[in-house]
């Protein structure tokens, strides 16, 4: 395949940035999208130009690091995947592909396609944990049976990879799906109950402080989420939040 | 010559060693812990759990990771599960049995006392993780579920779907978050450690580069813990995350930490086969699939050829024309033989011409009988009599989906074939490195005050790692072992006070880091970093891969040396140093791999025996039941090879830690 790529280039956080056109040729349909980017970068290096900076690590859809906005969609076309899992068979010869960073006020651009998602970490610092000493002096794991359904649901919420596609895709740049998933995981498990109210209040508070927008129930986040995190989690967070606020 | 002292407690039975040890070590008073700083490099399972626990105990922790968040460390990718001797299934498991399986699985090349301790604390890990809210799989009674993994006969593996590493790491990360919020951990994301600083013979700090601004920073501490993971990316293609690297381990090696058994690499049997030159990494299909998947190739060469030409589908090959070679060769363990055995057997079949894809490097992993078996079972449970074949398949597929759904989906995304309908294609790939920094029973390296934990050290797995044991080791080291052993060392430091970074040792270390970066930025060569990395990977895979021989290893050593020399002349790194520059990061890492690769080959050359993950062609059983299997040589090689740096990797000096097995009889490893 021969393709035209329109890529956002931005030297640093303070640079203005602009779209730049590149041509790539002989792209195999078996390549992953990131492998296609590697090919482009090798060509740029050979020409003495600076390669395009992008975030990636595991290249198997689990670390949540890769974060491109492709043809107007977080992680590109195809559902339930991250950019590293996107394959070139989704495109055809002669296509023009637009590649941009995840854009949101709470995700400032560091360079080219790399953005700073540490706001997600700060939300977790605010309360994304169960306060238990890591000494190993905990009760036997089977002393507290947990219904399979609750464990499975908690697991579903816990599979969020913190990629930020939900934020990038939302017209309000809301982080509700991410935070909802985190809150849900603990809300569904008996271990998390004691501090449930404090947790949800602190996390939601921090989310607002980081400059994420509000949820207007558009549902785009759920569609673009690579891990199928459902809107149900936002509802659960809202009800947990309400419960906690009434208590307080 | 430095003496290797393993510091294993003497004069007490194996099962009492750890308890006795803990009773006797020095403790640091909680008020004094506040006066002590510890640097942890790496926030995977090992570094994350260590950081959280050290902070919990009261030390001031500075944690470093090259990713933008601890949650993205390579541990996140682990799929299958984590072992623990809980014996919840009542199938005869015990500390001793886990210990025994691990030592045997490692081909008797691990340290007995460390492994026993690992087995002992394994049960605690599960309790700890459950308390943190890790959503392990449960059965309908609400209790924890288990599965079994290669190389063992009991079900002791705890799992969270196919995302166990993710859930365990998120558990450790949440424990870290709690300490970050309390100000006990200072987290340095997107920072790479580029050197260690040694003052008066003790590890006292590191030099790190801020990967966003390019700034070179000095950080001091009373002790440094290396938890930087393994070096499998020396092969270029491996199942490791793209950024996984050997730099931290290699840098401490160059300053005095011995590097142990560099040639011990695990080649994992169930990965998606490679396809083209552009390929950047290989993808693992969890070994847990071998619980239900059966491995085969066609018996008849004409079928193989017809499949390759696309004239025949695997589903069209009759049962009697399939060679379930693992079940045939190893009836006792069948598809569940350890990884090294399964990998070699796949290579053997493919080398004999029976590989089923275009490159001839693939075998089938087939779920048809499992789907049928589960389907029938479900029909019974649900009281469906006379269920049709289709209905049974449907019911069976549901069960298989519940167990391995995400893996099947991952396979389909990559290969574009539905593994429920047609068997998966798999082939061995580099996965895990059992070698690493040499540590004593305290997990301390040969540099006082410098520790190594998790995949970065060498201690527990011997020559082969059984499934689900890396996660166990990482968490055991981080949550339960290091926090004790480091206290014993730090007890002497309560009056030291803050370590200054304004000293000649820091000046020198920083200077050498800067010089190297300047070199890369200014060298106007003609080849990219990846060009060299790929070449290195090819030499490693061909000559230091699954099977090795003397001649190949000697050639590898000289080829790597020549490649390294060319690298330092002709590499090019675009961009600047005072900004984010991924090529610059890679250049430093590949430079280190180019040295480590040569030591790897040297170590493999020296070890003239086949054991665990590595097959030395000169050392094979010639007759008897084990004909054709790997031949270990206990008389001459029952030791840990610990290499001391002397400049060029080829000049490294070998120190041997003789291994003692007092509680286990060294036996031939048979899975027949
Ligand atoms: C696909 C896959 C599946 C697996 N499945 C299983 C399984 O089912 N069961 C099992 O037991 N094991 C499994 N393993 C193995 C296991 O995941 C690893 O061995 C283990 O997670 C290693 O943990 P670690 O903490 O030692 O290192 P890692 O998780 O690799 O962490 C390394 C850390 O060091 C940091 N780092 C590295 N270098 C530097 C530097 N110079 N400066 C600063 N930071 C640095 C990184 O940022 C990272 O935080 C699997 C591995 C893979 C690849
Ligand atoms: S909720 Fe989905 S889209 Fe949002 S961060 Fe988590 S995995 Fe990514
Ligand atoms: S690189 Fe890890 S999710 Fe894409």
């Amino acid at each position: 395949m021969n393709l035209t790529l329109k890529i956002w280039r931005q030297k640093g956080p303070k640079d203005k940035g602009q779209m730049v056109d590149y041509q790539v040729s002989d792209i195999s349909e078996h390549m992953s999208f990131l492998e296609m980017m590697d090919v482009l970068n090798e060509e740029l290096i050979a020409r003495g130009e600076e390669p395009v900076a992008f975030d990636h690590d595991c290249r198997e859809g689990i670390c949540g690091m890769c974060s491109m906005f492709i043809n107007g969609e977080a992680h590109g076309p195809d559902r339930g995947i991250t950019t590293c899992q996107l394959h070139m068979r989704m495109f055809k010869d002669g296509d023009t592909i637009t590649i941009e960073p995840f854009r949101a006020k709470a995700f400032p651009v560091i360079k080219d396609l790399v953005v700073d998602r540490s706001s997600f970490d700060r939300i977790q610092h605010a309360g994304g944990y169960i306060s238990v000493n890591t000494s190993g002096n905990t009760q036997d794991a089977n002393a507290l049976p947990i219904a399979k359904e609750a464990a499975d649901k908690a697991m579903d919420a816990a599979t969020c990879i913190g990629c930020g596609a939900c934020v990038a895709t939302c017209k309000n740049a809301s982080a509700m799906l991410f935070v909802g998933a985190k809150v849900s995981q603990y809300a569904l498990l008996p271990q998390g109950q004691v501090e449930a109210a404090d947790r949800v209040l602190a996390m939601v508070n921090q989310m607002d402080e980081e400059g994420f927008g509000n949820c207007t129930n558009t549902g785009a986040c759920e569609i673009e989420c690579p891990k199928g995190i459902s809107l149900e989690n936002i509802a659960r967070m809202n009800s947990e939040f309400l419960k906690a606020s009434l208590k307080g | 010559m430095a003496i290797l002292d393993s510091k294993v407690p003497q004069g007490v039975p194996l099962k009492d060693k750890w308890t006795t040890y803990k009773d006797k070590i020095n403790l640091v008073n909680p008020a004094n812990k506040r006066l002590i700083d510890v640097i942890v490099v790496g926030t995977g399972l090992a570094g994350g759990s260590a950081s959280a626990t050290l902070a919990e105990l009261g030390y001031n922790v500075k944690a470093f990771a090259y990713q933008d968040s601890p949650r993205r460390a390579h541990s996140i990718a682990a799929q299958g599960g984590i072992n623990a001797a809980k014996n919840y299934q009542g199938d005869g498991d015990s500390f001793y049995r886990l210990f025994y399986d691990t030592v045997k699985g490692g081909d008797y090349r691990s340290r007995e006392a460390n492994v026993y301790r690992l087995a002992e604390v394994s049960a605690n890990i599960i309790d700890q993780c459950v308390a943190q809210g890790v959503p392990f799989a449960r059965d309908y009674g609400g209790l924890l579920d288990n599965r079994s993994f290669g190389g063992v006969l009991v079900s002791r593996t705890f799992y969270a779907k196919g995302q166990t590493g993710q859930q365990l790491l998120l558990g450790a990360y949440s424990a870290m978050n709690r300490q970050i919020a309390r100000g006990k951990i200072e987290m340095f994301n997107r920072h790479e450690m580029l050197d260690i600083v040694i003052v008066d013979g003790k590890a006292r700090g590191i030099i790190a580069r801020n990967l966003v601004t390019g700034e070179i920073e000095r950080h001091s501490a009373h002790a440094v813990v290396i938890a930087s993971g393994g070096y499998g990316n020396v092969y270029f293609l491996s199942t490791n995350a793209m950024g996984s690297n050997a730099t931290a381990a290699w840098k401490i090696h160059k300053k005095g930490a011995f590097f142990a058994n560099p040639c011990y690499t695990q080649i994992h049997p169930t990965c998606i086969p490679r396809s083209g030159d552009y390929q950047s990494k290989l993808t693992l299909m969890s070994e847990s699939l071998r619980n239900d998947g059966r491995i085969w190739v066609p018996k008849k060469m004409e079928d193989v050829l017809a499949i390759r030409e696309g004239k025949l589908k695997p589903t069209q090959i009759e049962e009697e024309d399939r060679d379930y070679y693992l079940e045939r060769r190893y009836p006792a363990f069948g598809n569940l033989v350890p990884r090294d055995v399964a990998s070699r057997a796949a290579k053997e079949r493919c080398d004999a011409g029976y590989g089923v894809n275009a490159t001839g490097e693939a075998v089938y992993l087939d779920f048809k009988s499992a789907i049928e078996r589960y389907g029938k079972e479900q029909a019974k449970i649900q009281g469906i009599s006379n269920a049709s074949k289709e209905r049974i398949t449907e019911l069976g597929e549901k069960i298989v989906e519940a167990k391995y759904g995400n893996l099947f989906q991952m396979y389909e995304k990559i290969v574009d074939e539905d593994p429920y309908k047609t068997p998966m294609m798999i082939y061995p790939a580099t996965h895990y490195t059992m070698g690493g920094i040499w540590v004593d029973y305290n997990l301390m390296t040969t540099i006082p005050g410098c520790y190594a934990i998790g995949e970065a050290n060498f201690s527990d797995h011997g020559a082969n790692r059984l499934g689900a044991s890396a996660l166990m080791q990482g968490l055991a080291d981080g949550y339960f072992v290091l926090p004790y052993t480091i206290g014993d060392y730090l007890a002497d430091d309560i009056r030291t006070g803050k370590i200054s970074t304004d000293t000649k040792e820091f000046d020198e270390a920083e200077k050498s880091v800067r010089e190297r970066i300047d070199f890369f930025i200014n060298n106007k060569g003609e080849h990219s970093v990846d060009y060299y990395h790929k070449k290195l990977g090819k030499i490693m895979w061909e000559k230091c891969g699954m099977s090795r021989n003397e001649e190949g290893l000697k050639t590898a050593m000289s080829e790597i040396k020549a490649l390294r020399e060319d690298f330092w002349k002709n590499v090019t790194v675009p961009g600047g140093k005072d900004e984010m520059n991924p090529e610059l990061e890679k250049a430093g890492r590949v430079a280190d791999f180019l040295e480590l690769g040569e030591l790897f080959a040297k170590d493999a050359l020296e070890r003239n025996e086949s054991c665990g993950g590595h097959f030395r062609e000169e050392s094979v059983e010639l007759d008897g039941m084990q004909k054709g299997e790997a031949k270990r040589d206990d008389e001459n090689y029952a030791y840990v090879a610990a290499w001391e740096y002397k400049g060029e990797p080829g000049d490294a000096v070998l120190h041997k830690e003789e291994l003692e097995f007092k509680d286990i009889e060294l036996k031939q490893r048979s899975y027949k």
Side-chain angles (χ1 to χ4, degrees), chain B residues 554-571:
Chain B
K554 284 188 173 150
T555 331
M557 281 183 70
S558 61
E559 283 178 2
I560 296 170
K561 187 167 188 255
L563 187 65
R564 186 168 66 240
E565 279 160 10
D566 189 53
F567 171 87
W568 285 106
K569 281 197 199 102
N570 282 321
V571 71

Side-chain angles (χ1 to χ4, degrees), chain B residues 83-311:
Chain B
N83 285 338
K86 277 284 200 186
N87 195 26
Y88 282 157
Q89 307 302 331
D91 54 3
D93 204 7
S94 64
F95 295 163
Y96 185 83
R97 203 178 282 274
L98 174 53
F99 156 72
Y100 177 85
D101 286 342
T102 310
V103 172
K104 176 187 169 202
D107 234 348
Y108 306 93
R109 293 292 176 266
S110 46
R111 193 189 285 145
E112 211 184 38
N114 285 58
V115 181
Y116 196 88
R117 173 174 68 188
L118 174 67
E120 225 179 322
V121 303
S122 67
N124 262 341
I125 298 175
I126 304 303
D127 300 341
Q128 180 69 52
C129 295
V130 166
Q132 284 166 357
V134 170
F136 282 120
R138 295 192 176 253
D139 60 25
Y140 285 97
L143 301 179
L144 292 158
D145 198 9
N146 292 113
R147 55 165 68 138
S148 66
F149 248 60
V152 300
L153 297 171
V154 291
S155 273
R156 64 161 72 100
T157 307
F158 294 79
Y159 64 102
K161 286 211 176 136
Q163 290 117 289
T164 315
Q166 176 190 39
Q167 292 312 314
L168 294 172
L169 184 63
L170 294 183
Y173 165 67
S174 73
M176 280 184 81
N177 285 332
R178 180 163 161 256
Q179 301 301 334
I180 293 173
R182 292 174 60 205
K184 289 306 292 180
I185 296 180
E186 196 181 346
M187 184 64 220
F188 295 87
N189 295 316
R190 292 201 199 261
H191 272 70
E192 182 163 27
M193 167 197 167
L194 293 177
D195 209 351
I196 188 164
V197 181
I198 296 178
V199 181
D200 296 333
K202 293 179 175 173
R204 291 300 198 191
I206 62 167
I207 305 293
R209 180 167 180 267
N210 177 328
L211 301 181
V212 176
T213 62
E215 231 167 302
I216 306 297
E217 301 173 1
R218 302 176 179 199
H219 295 274
S220 69
H222 298 87
V224 175
V225 180
I226 303 296
S228 58
Y231 52 89
N233 276 353
V234 67
Y235 285 88
F236 184 70
L237 286 185
S238 83
T239 63
N240 288 6
M242 297 291 286
S244 294
N245 67 87
T247 288
W250 195 252
K251 289 293 155 48
I252 66 168
H253 171 56
K254 288 176 105 166
K255 289 226 170 143
F258 291 2
F259 208 104
N261 302 331
C263 82
Y264 285 175
T265 321
Q266 179 170 82
I267 313 282
H268 196 290
T270 55
C271 301
I272 299 181
R274 67 176 79 199
S275 42
D277 283 342
Y278 52 81
Q279 194 149 346
S280 59
K281 76 161 281 192
L282 296 168
T283 305
L284 176 81
M285 288 282 101
S286 166
E287 170 179 47
S288 60
L289 294 172
R290 288 200 275 147
N291 274 322
D292 284 312
R294 296 176 71 194
I295 296 177
W296 62 277
V297 289
K299 268 187 194 157
K300 295 192 250 166
M301 192 47 100
E302 68 244 39
D303 287 349
V304 174
L305 297 176
I307 284 180
R308 283 197 203 158
E309 285 161 22
K311 287 186 196 142

